Amino acid sequence: MRWTVGERPMKTPFQKQFVVGVDLGGTKILAAVYDQHHRLLAREKKSTKPELGPAGVMGRVAECVNETLAAAALPHAAVRGVGIGVPGMVEPQTGLVRVAPNLHWHDVPLGRLLKTRLKIPVTVLNDVQAGTLAVQQLGSGRKLRDFVCMFIGTGIGGGLVLRGEQYRGAAGLGGEIGHMVVVPDGGPKCGCGNRGCLEAVASRSAIVRRIIRGIEDDKRKSIVTDLCDGDLKRIRSRILAEAYREGDELVHEVLDEAADYIGIGAANLINILNPQAVILGGGLIEALGVKLMRRITNSARAHVIGAGADRVDIRDSGLGDDAGILGSALAARSFLGK
Amino acid sequence: MRWTVGERPMKTPFQKQFVVGVDLGGTKILAAVYDQHHRLLAREKKSTKPELGPAGVMGRVAECVNETLAAAALPHAAVRGVGIGVPGMVEPQTGLVRVAPNLHWHDVPLGRLLKTRLKIPVTVLNDVQAGTLAVQQLGSGRKLRDFVCMFIGTGIGGGLVLRGEQYRGAAGLGGEIGHMVVVPDGGPKCGCGNRGCLEAVASRSAIVRRIIRGIEDDKRKSIVTDLCDGDLKRIRSRILAEAYREGDELVHEVLDEAADYIGIGAANLINILNPQAVILGGGLIEALGVKLMRRITNSARAHVIGAGADRVDIRDSGLGDDAGILGSALAARSFLGK
């Protein structure tokens, strides 16, 4: 966008080139501030504490944004907009969060309330949509017209870019790739109420659940116990990655099976949509990297139709853990630019 | 398209308003001729005999077209174009069939050869694409912007209409919904070489295979044996439909399980793409109708994420067995009209 001299000079002065991206998760809030070249200036983290309710969580989001700006030594007046990615159904036009299960939110006017608090324009969008936007504009989907993102974390979310544009379906509810049924007839129960969903066998939560069961119920030995100082609730992607690298048998068994299922999910998407690439992101993928990617790719190859194995291009996002905040920041910039 | 007086009058005179649609299957060739209001004038059928090779099959296609025109008492000169749907990978621009597994064809210049033989312009397209076109323009997808077709027959093919246009993926190879893996870990072997594909458990071929195994290996009683006069190779959709209506236990068992898997496939598509509707077509669906549709819908509802059951709109194509020929005819008209 270009301003000619004198055009709306007070509302969007030249110095307002910074945007803040926020990733509001069920357990943590991440915020980061970027300059006009998408360079990271500062980044802060805070626990979400959903038990505080919408007002309390919103206060924590505002604090996190303020701390990020303070860390970058930027005044509020220098910020063009805040983008916030939310794990749920969102109306981007109004900034209303219709439902966010992990936060226990229903019809929270997040955009309006946060704008009042921060005195900065706020753009609200779905977190997976934000991550996909980042992959498309700055990540490994940059030069692609047709691709699918799979974000593997607490849950499994999907973003579709078809003919160069994000596709969310007729009512904006598409991309629920975590709820593809991959184990019919009584697979493990999923958070959505069904059984055998991909998310129920291959998300980080499912993986952690199986490892805890292995250690507690089946009395399996695993270095995970030591790595989290005996408190199995503290298992994070980083700990899984370390145990995997060390060759821990239980962790290998569970993660390899999860990778095989993720590969089946990727193959289904390839068979249905024939994208140029499937791009994997999310904490688990970023922490585990190459080895898991290879296993996922092999499983996908084994399940793609016919001689389609050469059509299997599975990549990581190229954005590390930052796809979510970066995408929210991009949304703040581009939505405001319209 | 409208002609002003004097514009290309010799090439496309007013009387050339008829088009022929051909559905070239692995077992039979169907041809039909339509007027400019898509009214059916005549319809003929012939066995394919793929063992005759491309030249032989092409001869049979030409005969079938000629017989159809004769039945409608139309001269070749009255026909604007022939559209032919082929079960394989096709280059619509050149009319080349790159590969058609059921016909054992590789790189057959069908469009060119058939045009030489018939002296009528020929449009070649994929059969599923043809069926989807018919559903979109004249069937139950007429008023929809986003929908998915599932054609259940010898195999299972899929057509995606997204944002009002058919979507075939980056390399035109999308829509292979029959090769979604729905039974991991050693499901039945599929024609594509993999295991546990939807097609391997829910296509008519898979259903017939299981019924024959039930009768021959497990010595199950079934009225199918009588209905096909003891020759189990003669089981067709019509026979399955009759046995189902009569309450045959084996047929119910096999068809109900197939319906449940089709429902899982539909749910996966709904979760991924959030279409306005999933539209079912193909011989099996047309023959079995309402009862099977209800079971498929219930299975889909049980596998759609969260409170999404109200998002499950599963319909039949509204075109009976004719989606394929009708779509090929439409393609002949619209491609030539460009």
Side-chain angles (χ1 to χ4, degrees):
Chain A
M1 183 175 29
R2 289 192 170 167
W3 301 113
T4 27
V5 179
E7 192 183 353
R8 292 171 65 189
M10 301 313 292
K11 268 185 160 173
T12 317
F14 285 93
Q15 69 269 31
K16 285 212 180 195
Q17 294 297 1
F18 304 96
V19 285
V20 175
V22 180
D23 189 8
L24 173 55
T27 51
K28 65 176 192 285
I29 300 161
L30 275 176
V33 57
Y34 298 91
D35 71 9
Q36 68 269 45
H37 303 295
H38 317 299
R39 276 184 304 230
L40 179 77
L41 301 183
R43 196 172 182 282
E44 295 291 327
K45 189 154 104 176
K46 231 181 181 55
S47 61
T48 306
K49 303 195 176 162
E51 65 275 14
L52 297 177
V57 168
M58 214 137 13
R60 297 183 68 77
V61 169
E63 274 173 43
C64 197
V65 171
N66 290 336
E67 285 165 19
T68 311
L69 292 178
L74 282 174
H76 281 55
V79 177
R80 206 172 151 78
V82 173
I84 179 164
V86 180
M89 269 179 61
V90 161
E91 285 181 15
Q93 304 81 5
T94 58
L96 180 76
V97 178
R98 283 175 58 188
V99 53
N102 292 341
L103 300 168
H104 314 289
W105 283 14
H106 284 273
D107 292 326
V108 175
L110 176 63
R112 186 165 56 74
L113 296 177
L114 204 56
K115 188 184 169 185
T116 309
R117 221 182 254 261
L118 290 170
K119 319 263 184 269
I120 302 174
V122 173
T123 302
V124 182
L125 74 168
N126 169 272
D127 57 350
V128 169
Q129 206 176 344
T132 305
L133 186 66
V135 170
Q136 184 185 17
Q137 295 200 5
L138 301 170
S140 60
R142 224 163 40 249
K143 291 173 184 163
L144 304 181
R145 192 174 132 84
D146 298 272
F147 65 92
V148 178
C149 290
M150 300 177 80
F151 295 102
I152 323 278
T154 320
I156 296 183
L160 316 178
V161 173
L162 310 178
R163 298 188 194 112
E165 272 179 53
Q166 266 203 60
Y167 183 81
R168 305 276 303 169
L173 303 172
E176 291 291 359
I177 62 167
H179 301 280
M180 264 190 268
V181 178
V182 291
V183 189
D185 307 327
K189 202 159 168 79
C190 181
C192 77
N194 298 334
R195 286 183 171 281
C197 299
L198 181 59
E199 188 165 302
V201 292
S203 64
R204 199 189 52 221
S205 335
I207 290 165
V208 167
R209 213 160 36 232
R210 289 197 51 194
I211 290 173
I212 292 178
R213 216 170 39 229
I215 294 171
E216 291 187 343
D217 300 358
D218 307 338
K219 309 294 174 207
R220 299 274 303 264
K221 288 238 171 302
S222 165
I223 59 168
V224 162
T225 317
D226 289 341
L227 291 174
C228 62
D229 297 326
D231 181 4
L232 296 178
K233 287 204 193 75
R234 289 178 49 208
I235 304 179
R236 296 281 175 277
S237 296
R238 196 181 42 71
I239 289 178
L240 292 176
E242 193 169 341
Y244 194 80
R245 257 197 313 277
E246 298 288 328
D248 186 83
E249 199 185 288
L250 174 64
V251 169
H252 260 263
E253 201 178 295
V254 173
L255 276 176
D256 286 348
E257 196 185 290
D260 291 345
Y261 279 118
I262 295 169
I264 289 179
N268 286 349
L269 292 165
I270 292 168
N271 286 332
I272 297 169
L273 292 167
N274 178 218
Q276 291 165 284
V278 174
I279 299 180
L280 300 181
L284 193 73
I285 298 296
E286 305 304 341
L288 278 147
V290 180
K291 278 201 179 167
L292 207 65
M293 293 284 285
R294 199 175 301 144
R295 180 130 191 160
I296 292 170
T297 303
N298 287 341
S299 163
R301 287 221 171 102
H303 291 99
V304 164
I305 178 180
D310 54 328
R311 289 194 281 126
V312 177
D313 176 347
I314 295 185
R315 331 177 167 177
D316 78 8
S317 71
L319 298 174
D321 266 342
D322 285 354
I325 34 177
L326 193 50
S328 300
L330 286 169
R333 193 181 294 283
S334 59
F335 288 5
L336 290 166
K338 272 178 191 165
Chain B
M1 183 174 31
R2 291 191 168 168
W3 301 113
T4 27
V5 179
E7 191 184 351
R8 293 168 65 189
M10 301 313 292
K11 269 184 157 171
T12 315
F14 285 93
Q15 68 269 32
K16 284 213 179 193
Q17 294 297 0
F18 305 96
V19 286
V20 174
V22 180
D23 188 8
L24 174 54
T27 51
K28 65 177 192 287
I29 301 163
L30 276 176
V33 57
Y34 298 90
D35 71 9
Q36 68 269 44
H37 304 295
H38 318 299
R39 277 183 303 228
L40 180 77
L41 301 183
R43 196 172 182 281
E44 295 291 328
K45 188 153 105 175
K46 231 182 180 51
S47 60
T48 306
K49 304 196 176 162
E51 64 276 13
L52 297 177
V57 168
M58 213 134 18
R60 298 183 68 76
V61 169
E63 274 172 45
C64 197
V65 170
N66 290 336
E67 286 165 18
T68 311
L69 291 177
L74 282 173
H76 281 55
V79 177
R80 205 173 152 79
V82 173
I84 178 165
V86 181
M89 267 179 62
V90 161
E91 286 182 14
Q93 305 80 8
T94 59
L96 180 76
V97 177
R98 285 176 56 188
V99 53
N102 291 342
L103 300 167
H104 314 289
W105 283 13
H106 283 273
D107 292 327
V108 175
L110 177 62
R112 186 165 55 76
L113 297 177
L114 204 56
K115 188 182 168 184
T116 309
R117 220 181 255 259
L118 290 170
K119 318 265 184 267
I120 303 175
V122 173
T123 302
V124 182
L125 74 168
N126 168 272
D127 57 350
V128 169
Q129 206 176 343
T132 305
L133 186 65
V135 170
Q136 185 185 16
Q137 294 198 6
L138 301 171
S140 60
R142 223 162 42 248
K143 291 175 182 160
L144 304 181
R145 194 174 130 86
D146 298 270
F147 65 91
V148 179
C149 290
M150 299 177 81
F151 294 102
I152 322 279
T154 320
I156 296 182
L160 315 178
V161 173
L162 310 178
R163 298 188 194 112
E165 272 178 54
Q166 266 203 60
Y167 182 81
R168 303 276 305 168
L173 303 172
E176 290 292 358
I177 63 167
H179 301 280
M180 264 190 268
V181 178
V182 292
V183 189
D185 306 329
K189 202 157 168 82
C190 181
C192 78
N194 298 332
R195 286 185 170 279
C197 299
L198 181 59
E199 188 165 301
V201 293
S203 64
R204 199 189 51 221
S205 335
I207 289 166
V208 168
R209 215 160 35 233
R210 289 196 51 193
I211 290 174
I212 292 179
R213 215 169 42 228
I215 295 171
E216 291 188 342
D217 300 359
D218 307 340
K219 310 294 175 204
R220 301 271 303 261
K221 287 238 172 301
S222 165
I223 59 168
V224 162
T225 316
D226 290 339
L227 291 175
C228 61
D229 297 325
D231 180 4
L232 296 178
K233 286 202 192 76
R234 289 178 49 207
I235 303 179
R236 295 283 175 276
S237 297
R238 196 182 43 71
I239 289 178
L240 292 176
E242 194 169 339
Y244 194 79
R245 256 197 314 278
E246 298 288 327
D248 186 82
E249 199 184 289
L250 175 64
V251 169
H252 260 262
E253 200 178 295
V254 173
L255 276 176
D256 286 348
E257 196 185 290
D260 291 344
Y261 279 117
I262 295 169
I264 289 180
N268 286 349
L269 291 166
I270 292 169
N271 287 332
I272 296 168
L273 292 168
N274 178 217
Q276 291 166 282
V278 173
I279 298 179
L280 300 181
L284 193 72
I285 298 297
E286 305 305 341
L288 278 146
V290 180
K291 276 200 179 167
L292 207 65
M293 293 284 287
R294 198 175 303 146
R295 179 129 191 160
I296 293 171
T297 303
N298 287 339
S299 164
R301 289 222 168 102
H303 290 100
V304 164
I305 180 181
D310 53 330
R311 290 194 280 126
V312 177
D313 176 347
I314 296 184
R315 330 176 168 181
D316 78 7
S317 71
L319 299 173
D321 265 342
D322 284 353
I325 33 176
L326 192 50
S328 301
L330 286 169
R333 193 180 294 282
S334 58
F335 288 5
L336 290 167
K338 273 177 191 165

